[in-house]
Amino acid sequence: MSTTFTLDTSTSRANPTPAPMKRLTVPAIQRRKVDGRTADPLVMLTAYTARQAQILDPHCDLLLVGDSLGQVIYGLPSTLAVTLDMMAAHGAAVVRGSYHSVVIVDMPFGSYEASPQHAFASASRLMAETGCAAVKLEGGVAMAETIAFLSQRGIPVMAHVGLTPQAVNALGGYGARGKSEEEQAKIIADARAIADAGAFAAVLEGVMEPLAIGITDSIPIPVIGIGASAHCDGQVLVTEDMLGMFDRVPRFVKRYGNAADMIDESVQRYAAEVRDRSFPSEEQVYQPKK
Ligand code: KIV
């Protein structure tokens, strides 16, 4: 079971935090939505590593160890090949690197759909091995029984509806959802079903804005939008997308930085200094004491 660690940046070692600060809790997140409104919007970002979590944590309410790590960290073409082992390893790292945010770990494709019992085995493993506070799974009406099963057994569930990337093959791509009346009705039914089943919050991804507004106003649990609406109860983005690590990002991503260019420039200077032997210089080498 993980505990909170502090990274000693002089040695890059993780040391147990002597007096861990109080973490936000799932009930505290739920209480932010009062009478269908969240006055103080919820801030959520993805995190996959301990150091990343440490930097994001003071600014966030929720950290999501998303299965988007398949593409972002492992260079996979989709989230479909992400495993429970990957999620457990990255989830534990993020819990070790954070002390404030609620950490949620994504259940990967194939780890929960077969039955509520199968989902319980996977989710309980993730919670035991990572120390996370909740799991996230994709699906609405079809997953309602599983969400109820987990929630009633002490596993808080965030459900993901709208554009659900694990269903990319069934959906035929990553395009926005809710364009037709039929699709809108399905997404509304999904959102209602997961709220009724006991999910503590929902991620609503890639839907037409009026639908996002309607769903946010009509279900009692916090709705975290991504490609949805500023009217949602909170927002989430993939951190590497908003930091500018990738050339191509979905329309709904706003870039708040240009990390790829910063890394490129730094590595270019390093490579040049290695090649002209100006690195390492006096300050970076050890000399025997005289
Ligand atoms: O896997 C992920 O990062 C996600 C977010 C995009 C919501 O599910």
Side-chain angles (χ1 to χ4, degrees):
M1 167 67 125
S2 297
T3 182
T4 298
F5 282 71
T6 301
L7 287 190
D8 178 343
T9 45
S10 62
T11 60
S12 304
R13 297 286 184 274
N15 302 309
T17 304
M21 293 180 73
K22 223 167 175 286
R23 239 184 230 283
L24 284 171
T25 61
V26 164
I29 296 295
Q30 276 182 298
R31 284 196 298 270
R32 293 269 282 271
K33 187 160 182 171
V34 181
D35 296 332
R37 232 194 124 246
T38 302
D40 187 12
L42 293 157
V43 180
M44 177 157 123
L45 280 172
T46 59
Y48 313 124
T49 67
R51 183 62 183 137
Q52 187 183 33
Q54 204 180 33
I55 296 167
L56 305 180
D57 188 46
H59 309 286
C60 292
D61 301 304
L62 303 129
L63 290 177
L64 172 66
V65 187
D67 61 355
S68 51
L69 62 74
Q71 290 108 313
V72 176
I73 302 280
Y74 291 93
L76 294 167
S78 74
T79 56
L80 298 185
V82 172
T83 65
L84 264 181
D85 285 346
M86 289 176 186
M87 297 312 300
H90 289 274
V94 169
V95 172
R96 284 195 293 269
S98 60
Y99 59 84
H100 163 75
S101 308
V102 170
V103 177
I104 300 155
V105 177
D106 253 344
M107 309 233 342
F109 179 65
S111 72
Y112 61 94
E113 300 89 336
S115 67
Q117 288 75 9
H118 182 219
F120 186 84
S122 302
S124 57
R125 179 186 158 196
L126 285 178
M127 294 192 78
E129 290 186 16
T130 68
C132 69
V135 296
K136 177 165 84 57
L137 55 79
E138 293 184 10
V141 173
M143 282 299 125
E145 188 191 345
T146 294
I147 292 168
F149 191 88
L150 298 184
S151 307
Q152 287 159 12
R153 286 162 180 76
I155 299 183
V157 180
M158 174 179 272
H160 186 150
V161 296
L163 169 60
T164 46
Q166 292 176 8
V168 60
N169 290 308
L171 298 176
Y174 295 104
R177 314 298 302 164
K179 289 180 185 158
S180 67
E181 278 184 19
E182 193 190 344
E183 244 175 48
Q184 285 167 24
K186 183 189 178 308
I187 297 167
I188 291 168
D190 282 342
R192 291 207 177 120
I194 56 129
D196 291 348
F200 80 93
V203 163
L204 180 60
E205 177 166 356
V207 296
M208 299 293 120
E209 184 171 41
L211 181 61
I213 295 172
I215 287 175
T216 303
D217 285 346
S218 67
I219 64 172
I221 58 174
V223 175
I224 316 286
I226 173 164
S229 171
H231 184 81
C232 291
D233 301 299
Q235 303 295 325
V236 60
L237 283 175
V238 169
T239 300
E240 283 75 359
D241 285 346
M242 60 86 89
L243 289 180
M245 281 292 280
F246 297 109
D247 294 338
R248 282 189 63 235
V249 284
R251 172 197 156 87
F252 57 74
V253 173
K254 178 171 175 184
R255 286 179 209 246
Y256 288 84
N258 208 336
D261 283 355
M262 191 273 287
I263 294 171
D264 187 64
E265 278 160 32
S266 306
V267 175
Q268 212 176 313
R269 275 197 291 126
Y270 166 74
E273 291 184 13
V274 168
R275 291 189 178 113
D276 70 14
R277 295 190 194 279
S278 60
F279 175 81
S281 70
E282 276 291 289
E283 294 117 71
Q284 290 102 26
V285 296
Y286 300 101
Q287 298 294 348
K289 281 206 174 85
K290 287 179 190 143

